[in-house]
Amino acid sequence: MSEAPPRPRRRRGPRLPKPPVPPAFLPRPLPPGTQRGAPRTALDHAAESGKVVVDWIDERTQLSGVTRWVMFRKVPRGTNWFYTLGSATMFAFLAQAVTGVFLAMYYRPDASGGAYESVRYISTSVFLGNFVRGMHKWGATVMVVLVFLHMARTFVWGAYKYPRELNWVIGVTLLILTMIMGFTGYLLPFDERSYWATIVGVNINGTGPVIGPYLSDFLRGGPEFNATTLSRFYAIHMLILPGAIAGLILAHLYLVTKLGTTAPPWVKATPEEPALGEETA
Amino acid sequence: MNQREKEAYLREYSILKAQGKPFFPYAVAKDSLMGLLVVVVIIVLSLLFGAQLGPKASGATTTYVPRPDWYFFFLFQLLRVIHPPGFLGVATIGIPTLGMILLFLLPFYDRSAERRIERRPIAVATLVFVVVAMALLTLRGAAAGSPTALTISAPAAVKAAGKGAVSEFYAGRAASSDVGCGACHTIGTAGNPGPGPALTHVGSRIPLAGIERTLVNPTAPMPSFKGLPPKELTAIATFISDLK
Ligand code: HEM
């Protein structure tokens, strides 16, 4: 006669991965005789207060589950440096956001000369102004290069296939928005080169079928290139697009976390190795 | 990809994922290192090359070359290469739009379960074609956009009309070079073959008044030159109408 096996306890909610704490850092058993949880030294008190604060926040936000879900999930075997291209793109975007905010502190979207003067002021008079402008300009190039490389990586890996189709579509949107960022930002210094390149660009848009003329009217803020055009480009460049890109990056990363990144296609699972359930063992 | 292939993929993937390392700290460390590298590269580029500011835009200029940032060169060049008469709109917006739609829909028409690149010949061919085409277009766009100096010499009819007409012709040629008509038109052997039509013999088709009207009130994508000083505008129009 044998005992019935204990019924497995039902868990509430999803199983969350545990942090990969090295054995040396795991809490040691307490010396015999000490009361559990009772702080003993000043250091214990200090450590305890940190925990209290974190617990207090977590009790109200329940963020620890999300954090564990994001941070302690596993990335598949074979993950290599090519997988850093996406986050590198994100870092380039963040760098653009930071340098862009500093430029916005001085820039004036005034087509009657104020825009040009404000950029010249940034370049010649503001402390490190030209350096920050240079970072913003070259950051755009770096971001465009990275976004193409990242796309090439996901293309070569076949990472756009089931179940990641939607993330590819979000990615293409991000690519296009990134290019439009470059296009709208180019006008802002309002020197000869940026002015004419933009006129030609907007006019080329206008030759497009069906929505072409409406699109270029919208960009110009009217049938002619005028003062509204610059403020319109400015609003698109520093409010609409960065907001849209940031939101789409969040959606992109949610799907990356939810679905996991692909394993390199040439890495095959070896059948004798343990399968499902391993991650929580 | 059918249901069986989908399930097989998910099964295989869950094994590979279980055998992997935790995102924190392993992937986070790599990503942070890469992020640092990105910022360092941007800083170095800024220190080495900085950011230029050209002359102030006046709308009525004598020196301009409509050049976008380098990562749009391929688009600009594409528009120069492909300009079927009468279908300019289709070519300018149509081809990039088609490219975008094809890119968006990729996961929906490439439905095979195969992910290894060496077993996806069509994908490889497309990738090679697109990369080579974009590289070539970018390089040629970089070479083409720069000075659009015109070299055409006065036709016999102008020479016959006397010294005054000849010097007027060359003054108009210089003005047209500066303004950059060659960015979109071929004139003689100079200039780009599009998006505008060749102007080498345009004077025999359009009278002076018509050319002046075109300069002031052109069809897109040609920009209007009505902001130019009237003298310059007349010089350009005279020069163009002399091209017979
Ligand atoms: C602002 C631009 C973008 C950012 C910040 C970004 C960020 C990321 C990050 C951090 C990942 C995680 C894995 C990795 O880094 O490779 C990822 C994955 C992915 N991205 Fe992007 N991405 C961007 C644009 C794009 C574009 C243009 C595409 C393609 C059209 C794309 C398609 C994908 C796909 C399919 C995955 C899943 C890859 C896998 O599971 O292996 N992304 N992205």
Side-chain angles (χ1 to χ4, degrees), chain A residues 82-87 89-90 143 147 150-151 153-154 157 159-160 164 167-168 171-172 174-175 178 245 249 252-253 256 260-262:
Chain A
F82 286 105
Y83 288 76
T84 61
L85 286 168
S87 55
T89 315
M90 189 183 68
M143 183 170 171
V147 92
H150 170 61
M151 180 170 77
R153 198 286 278 171
T154 55
W157 258 240
Y160 55 86
R164 300 185 181 79
N167 225 12
W168 172 269
V172 178
L174 280 169
L175 172 81
T178 306
I245 292 180
I249 288 181
H252 201 65
L253 294 186
V256 164
T261 45
T262 47

Side-chain angles (χ1 to χ4, degrees), chain B residues 79-91 193-198:
Chain B
L79 305 185
R80 284 194 195 121
V81 176
I82 306 167
H83 51 281
F87 290 99
L88 192 70
V90 178

Side-chain angles (χ1 to χ4, degrees), chain A residues 71 73 75 77 87 116 131 133 138 141 155-156 160-162 164 168 186 191-192 196 207 260-261 273, chain B residues 9 13 16 19-21 23-24 31 46 50 52 54-55 61 67 70 89 92 103 110 112 114-115 120:
Chain A
M71 297 312 268
R73 73 195 148 99
V75 293
R77 194 156 59 99
S87 55
Y116 181 81
F131 172 64
R133 241 195 98 206
W138 289 101
T141 287
F155 180 81
V156 171
Y160 55 86
K161 299 186 177 207
Y162 178 82
R164 300 185 181 79
W168 172 269
Y186 200 65
D191 58 3
E192 289 289 17
W196 284 105
T207 61
T261 45
E273 276 166 307
Chain B
Y9 175 76
Y13 179 68
L16 285 169
Q19 292 169 347
K21 290 180 173 164
F23 178 71
F24 177 90
D31 285 347
S46 172
Q52 287 77 32
T61 173
R67 266 166 83 97
W70 68 270
T92 48
L103 200 60
D110 175 11
S112 88
E114 186 55 71
R115 284 165 204 254
R120 290 156 55 205

Side-chain angles (χ1 to χ4, degrees), chain A residues 20 70-77 79-81 84 87-88 91 113 116-117 119-120 130-131 133-135 137-142 144-146 151 155-158 160-165 168-169 172-173 175-176 179 182-183 186 189-193 195-197 199-200 203-205 207-209 259-263 265-269 273 275-276 278, chain B residues 1 6 9-10 12-25 27-28 30-35 38-39 41-43 45-47 49-59 61 63-64 66-72 74 76 79 88-89 92-94 100 103-104 106-108 110 112-117 120 123 127 134 220-224 226:
Chain A
V70 172
M71 297 312 268
F72 306 134
R73 73 195 148 99
K74 287 190 169 175
V75 293
R77 194 156 59 99
T79 298
N80 57 30
W81 282 95
T84 61
S87 55
F91 281 115
Y116 181 81
E117 288 309 322
V119 174
R120 215 185 47 192
N130 208 42
F131 172 64
R133 241 195 98 206
M135 274 187 75
K137 180 188 160 165
W138 289 101
T141 287
V142 167
V144 168
V145 169
L146 285 173
M151 180 170 77
F155 180 81
V156 171
W157 258 240
Y160 55 86
K161 299 186 177 207
Y162 178 82
R164 300 185 181 79
E165 298 95 329
W168 172 269
V169 172
V172 178
T173 317
L175 172 81
I176 292 166
M179 295 301 272
F183 177 68
Y186 200 65
F190 223 64
D191 58 3
E192 289 289 17
R193 168 181 289 232
Y195 177 77
W196 284 105
I199 288 204
V200 174
N203 286 349
I204 287 176
N205 264 329
T207 61
L259 304 170
T261 45
T262 47
W266 57 86
V267 175
K268 285 280 164 265
E273 276 166 307
L276 292 161
E278 161 86 3
Chain B
M1 238 183 167
K6 283 181 182 173
Y9 175 76
L10 291 181
E12 165 115 358
Y13 179 68
S14 77
I15 298 174
L16 285 169
K17 188 168 175 184
Q19 292 169 347
K21 290 180 173 164
F23 178 71
F24 177 90
V28 169
K30 274 187 185 172
D31 285 347
S32 313
L33 213 61
M34 192 67 172
V38 167
V39 174
V41 166
I42 294 176
I43 287 177
L45 284 172
S46 172
L47 290 176
F49 303 110
Q52 287 77 32
L53 187 63
K56 187 166 163 176
S58 56
T61 173
T63 49
Y64 93 90
R67 266 166 83 97
D69 229 346
W70 68 270
Y71 41 84
F72 285 113
F74 78 97
F76 249 48
L79 305 185
L88 192 70
T92 48
I93 282 284
M100 270 185 329
L103 200 60
F104 263 116
L106 172 65
F108 305 101
D110 175 11
S112 88
E114 186 55 71
R115 284 165 204 254
R116 300 187 64 152
I117 189 74
R120 290 156 55 205
L127 184 69
M134 279 183 66
M222 177 163 155
S224 168
K226 69 165 175 268

